[in-house]
Amino acid sequence: MQTELSRKLGIEHAVFGFTPFPAVAAAISRAGGLGVLGAVRYTAPDDLERDLDWLDAHADGRPYGLDVVMPAKKVEGVTEADAEAMIPEAHRRFVRDTLAAHGVPELAEGEASGWRITGWTEQVARAQLDVAFDYPVRLLAGALGSPPADIVARAHDRDILVAALAGSARHARKHRAAGIDIVVAQGYEAGGHTGEIATMVLTPEVVDAVDPLPVLAAGGIGSGPQVAAALSLGAQGVWLGSIWLTTTEADLHSPALTRKLLAAGSGDTVRSRALTGKPARQLRTAWTDAWDGPAGPGALPMPLQGLLVAEAVSRIQKYEVEPLLGTPVGQIVGRMTAEREVQAVFDDLTRGFEQAVDRVNRIAGRSGR
């Protein structure tokens, strides 16, 4: 699974693996792909430095990347306390009532929420990059638009390629104009924040829109034949995220959540604003149903929604309240039926890719098999 882009980055397979877990990112890089560590949960620079130290030591000298969130639209001078004050009491009451209806216990006195949305601000992302630029990062990815021009310049000064996710050809052209090196065409099927155009339609549109920039296909991809399909559509690689959630190296801290992921079908996800305020594909749960139903108050805009539900999400996760327990995940969840090591996922991808290419070659009369 080699392309011009994979050769440029010195990786064996044109597979870019996004993950919030350093152990998974390192395993992806060791397996011949490019592990990309999601930085959004690192609100303290010291924590990111610790995990980058670990990742750098366990990637066996293979290249790796970092994914940061720097929203394209920002509000200057608004602190987290200011944002908290903007949250209506009716929304707070809805959260309390929903948790009470499912018997979700309170956090212990003095225990802070383990899930915060503050990593979605540019100020935090810049602090993350001040740390990351001291490491041999090969790829910097922006999940919510092109990073600011000065960040792109800093990355290029360090020979770091910059990627940005796009849900439409229009977004992709904006990335090209901003000096981005790689565009990730993220289809509707993807987990997390995603647009409304399916991967099969979006990928060739983006390839045409930004030619000759390399494009990665994302969304609903988790098998070798799908990788082959992405490359046949003009992509120079694939961007995979959800498929790593049920690997043995992942650290979800929740056996119940792992069971739900393994049992879910491809129709068991929903695009909902319930988690962050922007449409994000995630497991459908009683929590998303409550927010998206007619009795719900409607999600608040980012970052207010994330601040509102942060403690609730922590309580649901800590006590593993299964009806409410969910996570961002794409429609590929239907293929995630067993826990496997990252290397086993790669073995399946490469084997399936070879079989798919052989199949096409037979159809084209180019194989002696």
Side-chain angles (χ1 to χ4, degrees):
M1 298 189 290
Q2 278 272 317
T3 65
E4 181 182 351
L5 178 61
S6 66
R7 286 188 288 271
K8 182 176 183 177
L9 285 164
I11 58 178
E12 184 179 356
H13 306 300
V15 174
F16 297 70
F18 166 82
T19 175
F21 307 115
V24 176
I28 291 169
S29 291
R30 291 196 306 270
L34 192 135
V36 181
L37 179 65
V40 69
R41 66 192 180 98
Y42 295 99
T43 55
D46 289 348
D47 292 339
L48 178 60
E49 184 175 8
R50 177 201 64 218
D51 280 1
L52 282 175
D53 280 340
W54 190 96
L55 173 56
D56 196 59
H58 290 82
D60 290 354
R62 305 291 184 90
Y64 58 86
L66 190 74
D67 179 279
V68 297
V69 174
M70 304 182 83
K73 296 180 180 179
K74 59 183 178 179
V75 179
E76 299 285 0
V78 177
T79 66
E80 184 175 342
D82 294 333
E84 288 275 9
M86 299 177 189
I87 298 173
E89 176 57 31
H91 281 72
R92 296 190 185 276
R93 184 168 57 250
F94 179 78
V95 170
R96 292 194 298 268
D97 291 348
T98 303
L99 295 177
H102 290 271
V104 182
E106 299 276 353
L107 295 176
E109 185 175 352
E111 182 178 0
S113 164
W115 187 88
R116 300 301 289 166
I117 200 68
T118 48
W120 298 87
T121 65
E122 181 174 334
Q123 179 183 4
V124 171
R126 285 184 176 276
Q128 293 166 346
L129 290 172
D130 287 339
V131 171
F133 282 144
D134 287 335
Y135 290 82
V137 172
R138 291 289 286 118
L139 178 74
L140 173 65
L144 286 180
S146 304
D150 67 299
I151 296 297
V152 175
R154 287 178 66 188
H156 286 165
D157 286 344
R158 291 162 174 79
D159 197 29
I160 298 171
L161 296 180
V162 182
L165 277 64
S168 70
R170 178 173 59 87
H171 292 154
R173 282 189 286 267
K174 287 184 177 180
H175 294 332
R176 181 183 60 185
I180 300 304
D181 304 294
I182 303 167
V183 176
V184 182
Q186 185 180 29
Y188 171 85
E189 304 94 328
H193 296 111
T194 185
E196 299 181 348
I197 305 173
T199 304
M200 180 66 76
V201 175
L202 179 65
T203 302
E205 287 186 354
V206 171
V207 168
D208 290 344
V210 301
D211 184 61
L213 289 186
V215 172
L216 303 178
I221 300 172
S223 72
Q226 290 173 311
V227 177
L231 299 190
S232 74
L233 293 173
Q236 288 203 32
V238 293
W239 177 274
L240 310 184
S242 298
I243 197 73
W244 316 113
L245 288 173
T246 51
T247 56
T248 56
E249 292 90 346
D251 193 8
L252 289 177
H253 297 294
S254 174
L257 180 55
T258 297
R259 287 196 301 271
K260 290 188 74 170
L261 288 169
L262 295 175
S266 56
D268 292 328
T269 68
V270 63
R271 285 173 77 245
S272 172
R273 299 177 184 268
L275 188 60
T276 68
K278 288 183 176 290
R281 185 171 296 286
Q282 55 202 281
L283 278 181
R284 182 177 180 179
T285 66
W287 179 256
T288 61
D289 286 347
W291 278 99
D292 298 337
L300 298 171
M302 181 185 280
L304 302 186
Q305 182 70 14
L307 290 170
L308 169 65
V309 305
E311 180 182 320
V313 171
S314 290
R315 288 165 61 185
I316 292 165
Q317 292 175 344
K318 176 178 180 178
Y319 299 109
E320 295 193 296
V321 183
E322 292 206 32
L324 303 177
L325 188 62
T327 185
V329 69
Q331 291 180 335
I332 198 62
V333 71
R335 293 187 63 92
M336 296 156 52
T337 57
E339 292 185 80
R340 299 180 293 169
E341 293 182 350
V342 166
Q343 183 61 61
V345 174
F346 267 87
D347 291 343
D348 182 62
L349 289 172
T350 54
R351 183 169 51 249
F353 177 84
E354 291 171 356
Q355 291 170 349
V357 171
D358 284 347
R359 187 161 52 244
V360 172
N361 281 334
R362 287 198 302 271
I363 293 170
R366 298 192 182 114
S367 173
R369 297 186 185 183

